[in-house]
Amino acid sequence: MARGNSQGGEGGQRRDRNRGAPQEERADSDIVEKLVHINRVAATVKGGRRFSFAALRVVGDQKGRVGFGHGKAREVPEAIRKATEEAKKTMIRVPLRESRTLHHDGNGRWGAGKVMVRAAPPGTGVIAGGPMRAVLETLGIQDVVGKSVGSSNPYNMVRATFEALKAQSSPRQVAAKRGKKVADVLGRRADGASAVAAADGE
């Protein structure tokens, strides 16, 4: 019985390592890193099959900057290192409302992956799962509602989420683009989260 339990435990660990489901978090000089996915890939060569690992990593400072990277190597640590370096080089800045949520709703699409993100009132929390949650948490968003309606491929989901975040604009940016004051852009709207919705289509 003891042998069966130990083998079951080892098998569970082996499955988790191959699937890359865990999202480990590490703070390095104010940068939060999360491992989204690890995939074992095989290349057929003359002598047989050669295995390697592909890692998908998300990094952010939880203050409005976030990036993602993909790395591939023969060993898992090396693949994660490559993904982290690429993620830090491709970080983008996303304007946040009150440093806790988005300014307006948005949609993103990449391949078959489609996501929707919505601004939320205080206390809502991060309502999203999987790769979307990793991106939104490392970005520093505290209140948001996210929904994936397309492919569950983590690479497509992460890229679609970034497309939705790139489309975000703050009232200050919209006012500068129109040559107006921020108060003129906001108008009489009481909810700042939807204040830029009219400018989203421009």
Side-chain angles (χ1 to χ4, degrees):
M1 294 295 292
R3 182 182 301 172
N5 292 339
S6 63
Q7 289 178 351
E10 292 175 357
Q13 292 177 359
R14 189 175 297 113
R15 271 198 309 273
D16 290 343
R17 185 167 58 249
N18 292 340
R19 292 169 58 186
Q23 292 185 353
E24 59 182 34
E25 184 174 338
R26 184 179 54 149
D28 182 15
S29 66
D30 296 334
I31 297 294
V32 177
E33 305 170 358
K34 288 199 175 186
L35 179 62
V36 178
H37 185 71
I38 290 182
N39 186 32
R40 191 180 73 169
V41 295
T44 303
V45 295
K46 186 175 181 180
R49 288 196 299 173
R50 185 174 59 195
F51 293 98
S52 58
F53 296 90
L56 178 62
R57 191 85 155 171
V58 175
V59 303
D61 61 358
Q62 294 187 326
K63 297 178 182 178
R65 296 178 67 232
V66 66
F68 76 96
H70 171 257
K72 188 177 179 182
R74 298 292 297 273
E75 300 294 336
V76 174
E78 182 66 13
I80 293 177
R81 185 190 65 81
K82 289 182 178 180
T84 303
E85 289 182 356
E86 181 181 338
K88 290 181 179 179
K89 292 178 182 178
T90 60
M91 294 181 71
I92 63 171
R93 181 169 294 279
V94 180
L96 300 180
R97 175 177 175 244
E98 301 174 359
S99 299
R100 62 167 188 83
T101 189
L102 301 173
H103 282 282
H104 56 87
D105 303 346
N107 298 318
R109 180 169 183 172
W110 187 277
K114 293 181 288 186
V115 301
M116 297 182 298
V117 289
R118 291 187 135 188
T124 303
V126 179
I127 303 179
M132 283 188 67
R133 186 179 190 90
V135 174
L136 296 174
E137 285 182 347
T138 53
L139 178 60
I141 296 180
Q142 302 174 10
D143 304 298
V144 68
V145 177
K147 177 70 174 178
S148 173
V149 294
S151 170
S152 60
N153 184 309
Y155 293 90
N156 285 346
M157 288 182 65
V158 168
R159 288 185 170 94
T161 305
F162 269 77
E163 290 300 312
L165 294 176
K166 289 178 182 178
Q168 289 290 315
S169 57
S170 66
R172 181 176 299 177
Q173 292 173 339
V174 175
K177 186 182 298 184
R178 292 183 176 182
K180 296 184 178 181
K181 296 181 179 180
V182 177
D184 297 335
V185 173
L186 295 178
R188 298 181 179 179
R189 294 174 184 259
D191 183 13
S194 59
V196 197
D200 189 30
E202 296 185 5

